[in-house]
């Protein structure tokens, strides 16, 4: 007889995310990596506002840029001004 997995939680309905009430209150970020180098840049950081669907695309020079302390100031200087 086959064994049952007792560690797996039962599935249910997915719950929708709450809708943000203002622009730039809730953002999503993602990296596009392994691109051909152009001007020393090979990574694109995408930042999208969930309320307005406005997107910013920031060029970065190296992979694993989320570990660098320079990411937050760069993000604030490029996105927060809007």
């Amino acid at each position: 007889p086959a064994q049952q997995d007792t560690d797996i939680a039962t599935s249910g309905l997915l719950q929708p995310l709450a809708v943000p009430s203002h622009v730039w209150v809730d953002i999503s970020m993602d990296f596009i990596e392994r691109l051909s180098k152009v001007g020393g840049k090979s990574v694109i950081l995408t930042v999208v506002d969930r309320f307005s669907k406005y997107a910013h695309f920031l060029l970065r020079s190296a992979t694993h840029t989320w570990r660098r302390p320079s990411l937050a100031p760069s993000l604030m200087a490029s996105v927060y001004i809007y």
Side-chain angles (χ1 to χ4, degrees):
Q3 293 181 353
Q4 283 187 324
D5 286 332
T6 57
D7 296 336
I8 299 175
T10 57
S11 60
L13 296 175
L14 296 175
Q15 300 298 319
L17 295 172
V19 177
S21 58
H22 296 86
V23 293
W24 299 110
V25 170
D26 191 359
I27 63 171
S28 64
M29 298 188 313
D30 201 3
F31 289 91
I32 302 172
E33 299 179 308
R34 297 183 185 152
L35 301 171
S36 300
K37 270 193 177 178
V38 176
K41 311 285 186 186
S42 63
V43 176
I44 299 173
L45 169 61
T46 60
V47 182
V48 180
D49 172 43
R50 285 191 53 236
F51 183 78
S52 66
K53 307 298 188 240
Y54 194 80
H56 284 273
F57 302 95
L58 309 172
L59 297 175
R60 303 295 293 177
S61 60
T63 58
H64 305 294
T65 54
W66 58 89
R67 294 182 183 161
R68 294 191 176 188
S70 65
L71 180 60
S74 172
L75 185 64
M76 294 300 286
S78 302
V79 176
Y80 187 70
I81 59 173
Y82 294 100

